[in-house]
């Protein structure tokens, strides 16, 4: 298959050393699955933030996914910090469903190690112990803010932070009593953490709703996983996506490939176009968690336009 060979050659790039902090939502797990499908990603550790998830389920689900991918050496740590604005419980319940999937329970207990340190401590220690690490965060920035507060020197050890969060020139996705709807949830859960991270010198590439709004999940994408079922990672990803079926009918809004786009574009940057934008975050009041463009002096590289077809192809190739 000359086409496949050429595609592989085009994508040849240096190994990326990634620390992944996720918050246990459905698309967080799919982001993990596609990372694991790429041999040029060296996953140095995972911490889980107890935000859009129940940590009791998110930790075993994470370890079982590592086992499924034959990456049982990757250590996992459970975050213990909470933001001020909790996620709805029925979203957080998705992690229990994922942890219970038969494809993740082919052996009796997970092998990938759960480290004794908290997620935030493990993140800090890992960054301190290494020269340069790329950081992928697909939930709130709480663990990184904590690590920076205690060890400001780690900022210079982070090659770049890739973050799913924020909403610049589009409506937010927070629909809570007392909030004006301008914020994205990962920023809203812990707004001071965003400020803390943006006050550091870490280079940031942000994937706000402006970008992720371009990758809603639709039926044809979900169905495209059917024929891939013989491939374990694709089978697991398709099964996770299937948990979101009926989201439009239930809520009036699609489920999006928020975190999966972020992980994919970290590995293949040309899936998006980017603009350096000065940004500020609102910390308190009815707009808390809102990210404002062309304001303040923190420059954030921001994904703007997405090659949605290229993204879907990228995800369907990951197996
Ligand atoms: O705001 C997007 C973030 C992403 O990191 N999360 C889901 C993704 O993991 C929060 C979120 C917004 N709307 C949601 C969310 C929904 N309808 N269901 C679950 N989580
Ligand atoms: Ca998430």
């Amino acid at each position: 298959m000359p086409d496949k060979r050429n595609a592989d050659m085009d994508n040849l790039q240096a190994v990326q050393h990634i620390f992944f902090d996720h918050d246990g939502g459905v698309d967080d797990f799919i982001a993990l699955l596609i990372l694991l499908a790429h041999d040029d990603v060296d996953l140095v550790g995972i911490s889980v933030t107890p935000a859009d998830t129940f940590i009791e389920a998110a930790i075993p689900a994470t370890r079982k996914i590592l086992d499924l991918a034959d990456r049982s050496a990757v250590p996992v740590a459970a975050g213990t910090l909470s933001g001020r604005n909790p996620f709805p419980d029925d979203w957080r319940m998705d992690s229990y469903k994922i942890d219970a999937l038969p494809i993740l329970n082919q052996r009796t207990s997970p092998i990938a190690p759960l480290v004794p340190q908290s997620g935030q401590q493990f993140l800090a220690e890992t960054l301190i112990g290494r020269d340069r690490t790329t950081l992928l965060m697909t939930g709130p920035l709480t663990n990184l803010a904590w690590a920076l507060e205690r060890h400001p020197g780690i900022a210079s050890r982070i090659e770049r932070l890739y973050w799913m969060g924020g909403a610049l020139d589009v409506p937010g996705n927070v629909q809570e009593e007392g909030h004006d709807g301008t914020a994205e949830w990962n920023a809203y859960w812990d707004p001071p953490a965003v400020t803390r991270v943006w006050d550091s010198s870490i280079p940031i590439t942000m994937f706000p709703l402006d970008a992720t709004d371009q990758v809603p999940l639709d039926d044809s994408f979900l169905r495209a996983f059917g024929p891939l079922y013989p491939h374990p990672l694709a089978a697991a990803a398709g099964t996770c996506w299937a948990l979101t079926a009926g989201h439009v009918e239930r809520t009036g809004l699609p489920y999006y490939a928020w975190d999966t786009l972020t992980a994919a574009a970290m590995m293949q940057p040309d899936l998006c176009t980017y603009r350096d934008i000065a940004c500020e975050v609102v910390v308190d009041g009815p707009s808390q968690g809102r990210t404002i463009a062309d304001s303040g002096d923190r420059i954030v590289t921001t994904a703007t336009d997405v090659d949605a077809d290229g993204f879907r192809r990228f995800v369907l190739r990951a197996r």
Side-chain angles (χ1 to χ4, degrees):
M1 289 233 301
D3 281 345
K4 178 171 188 320
R5 190 171 158 268
N6 283 339
D8 287 349
M9 307 272 276
D10 287 346
N11 287 330
L12 265 188
Q13 49 173 273
V15 171
Q16 291 181 300
H17 304 282
I18 310 285
F19 189 100
F20 183 27
D21 185 292
H22 75 75
D23 76 331
V26 172
D27 63 324
D28 296 82
F29 288 114
I30 298 162
L32 173 57
L33 283 159
I34 69 159
L35 284 179
L36 294 172
H38 287 85
D39 292 338
D40 51 359
V41 169
D42 167 33
L43 203 49
V44 300
I46 297 177
S47 54
V48 183
T49 297
D52 197 0
T53 199
F54 289 106
I55 199 81
E56 303 81 353
I59 292 295
T62 300
R63 297 169 68 200
K64 291 169 190 177
I65 287 173
L66 291 167
D67 292 345
L68 181 73
D70 273 328
R71 301 271 200 105
S72 304
V74 178
V76 179
T80 60
L81 304 170
S82 287
R84 66 159 84 123
N85 298 306
F87 275 90
D89 278 358
D90 65 317
W91 296 358
R92 302 177 72 192
M93 284 301 298
D94 285 338
S95 51
Y96 277 101
K97 297 173 189 159
I98 291 174
D99 186 45
L101 294 174
I103 194 168
L104 297 182
N105 287 278
Q106 300 177 67
R107 49 179 136 230
T108 42
S109 53
I111 299 171
L114 173 63
V115 301
Q117 304 94 308
S118 67
Q120 61 273 21
Q121 182 69 36
F122 182 57
L123 168 65
E125 284 174 16
T126 305
L127 293 172
I128 291 167
R130 299 176 42 83
D131 204 23
R132 308 283 284 162
T133 306
T134 297
L135 192 49
L136 171 64
M137 298 185 76
T138 57
L141 296 176
T142 310
N143 285 342
L144 179 55
W146 183 96
L148 286 168
E149 202 55 46
R150 276 146 198 86
H151 310 280
I154 63 174
S156 64
R157 296 188 174 256
I158 299 171
E159 184 83 38
R160 179 167 287 272
L161 165 65
Y162 293 85
W163 180 48
M164 190 282 129
L168 297 177
D169 297 319
V170 296
N173 61 7
V174 170
Q175 296 176 322
E176 296 284 290
E177 187 82 26
H179 194 272
D180 66 9
T182 54
E184 180 281 328
W185 261 101
N186 289 341
Y188 171 69
W189 196 72
D190 188 359
V194 183
T195 306
R196 181 67 192 84
V197 171
W198 289 13
D199 281 347
S200 77
S201 60
I202 301 169
I204 300 175
T205 300
M206 173 168 82
F207 296 79
L209 297 183
D210 309 60
T212 60
D213 280 354
Q214 298 167 55
V215 286
L217 292 189
D218 60 28
D219 261 12
S220 73
F221 182 59
L222 294 190
R223 306 279 175 232
F225 283 88
L228 301 179
Y229 205 77
H231 304 282
L233 297 183
T239 306
C240 289
W241 285 134
L243 297 176
T244 71
H247 196 273
V248 178
E249 289 75 5
R250 210 168 57 244
T251 67
L253 294 168
Y255 194 92
Y256 294 90
W258 297 280
D259 300 349
T260 313
L261 174 68
T262 305
M266 177 188 74
M267 292 184 276
Q268 189 177 310
D270 67 4
L271 292 175
C272 299
T273 57
Y274 305 86
R275 213 149 53 83
D276 284 349
I277 300 179
C279 297
E280 223 170 3
V281 63
V282 179
V283 176
D284 295 303
S287 308
Q288 61 182 276
R290 178 180 178 187
T291 47
I292 303 177
D294 305 317
S295 172
D297 49 18
R298 180 12 141 160
I299 302 293
V300 176
T301 300
T302 304
T304 51
D305 288 308
V306 180
D307 171 8
D309 285 334
F311 165 69
R312 285 186 280 261
R313 279 197 303 275
F314 182 89
V315 171
L316 293 168
R317 253 197 338 256
R319 53 184 88 153

